[in-house]
Amino acid sequence: MAKKQKQQQSSGGTPATVALTAAGVPYEIHSYDHDPSHPSYGEEAAEAMGVSPDRVFKTLVADVDGTLTVAVVPVAGQLDLKALASALGGKRATMADPTLAERTTGYVRGGISPLGQRKKLRTVLDDSASAHPTICVSAGRRGLEVELSPEDLTKLTEAVLAPIGRA
C-alpha cells in the first residue's frame, strides 16, 4: 500500500522534490515498497498507489538525432519513437543506453525523474497527460512517486506536449 504525504520542505528529499519545492509548485509524494522482482516499475507504482495506469507516467531517455531526450509517457502504453523524433523535428529516435541515461540524469533506471536531473535534457510529455488534473511521475528513486499537475510538469521541464505514446 502506498503512503501519501504532503511534502513542503526545501532541504532533503530527492533532486526532483527539491526542484519542486524551490519552484513553489504544489505536489504530493507517494511512497511504496519497491519489489525488485516486479516486471514493470511503472505498473508496480500504479498498483501500489491504487492509481489508474493512464495517470502514472514513466520517464524514458531516448537519443534523437544524437541528442539525449526525455520522453514521458503513460505506463499503460509504450513510447512511439517515430512520433518522438517528429515532435522535435528530428529524423530518428532510439532508446538511449541505460548506463548513459543514468549517468546523464543522475538517477537510476526505474527511478529516473523528469525533474531535477543532473543535466537538463529536452523533454517531451505525451499529450494524454492534459486529460488529467494530476499525474504521477518518478520522484527520483524506485518506490517514490510525485503527483502534480501536467501544466506544472510542462512548465518546470519546458516540455513539448505531443502524442508520443501508443497503446
Side-chain angles (χ1 to χ4, degrees):
M1 190 75 168
K3 300 172 209 133
K4 289 184 183 183
Q5 64 188 45
K6 294 276 185 190
Q7 185 103 3
Q8 292 301 324
Q9 60 196 33
S10 60
S11 63
T14 67
T17 60
V18 170
L20 286 164
T21 301
V25 169
Y27 65 96
E28 193 169 318
I29 289 292
H30 300 270
S31 64
Y32 59 93
D33 294 323
H34 167 62
D35 176 3
S37 68
H38 200 288
S40 167
Y41 297 117
E43 289 175 11
E44 176 191 25
E47 291 167 10
M49 295 185 302
V51 174
S52 172
D54 65 339
R55 279 191 51 229
V56 179
F57 283 65
K58 56 188 169 186
T59 306
L60 303 171
V61 181
D63 180 313
V64 178
D65 296 337
T67 302
L68 287 182
T69 303
V70 170
V72 185
V73 296
V75 301
Q78 296 179 328
L79 172 61
D80 181 334
L81 289 166
K82 286 184 182 182
L84 175 63
S86 177
L88 295 172
K91 294 181 182 179
R92 185 168 184 266
T94 58
M95 293 307 298
D97 173 73
T99 303
L100 180 60
E102 289 178 340
R103 193 170 42 236
T104 304
T105 63
Y107 294 117
V108 298
R109 199 166 61 128
I112 294 177
S113 178
L115 300 156
Q117 297 174 356
R118 182 178 291 149
K119 178 181 178 190
K120 188 172 182 175
L121 302 175
R122 291 186 306 176
T123 301
V124 181
L125 174 60
D126 186 68
D127 63 358
S128 68
S130 299
H132 307 285
T134 61
I135 61 172
C136 298
V137 295
S138 176
R141 71 173 178 256
R142 297 172 189 151
L144 195 65
E145 294 281 311
V146 62
E147 182 176 351
L148 73 165
S149 77
E151 295 80 15
D152 285 336
L153 180 62
T154 301
K155 283 181 208 162
L156 288 173
T157 60
E158 299 174 6
V160 172
L161 278 173
I164 60 168
R166 61 184 163 149

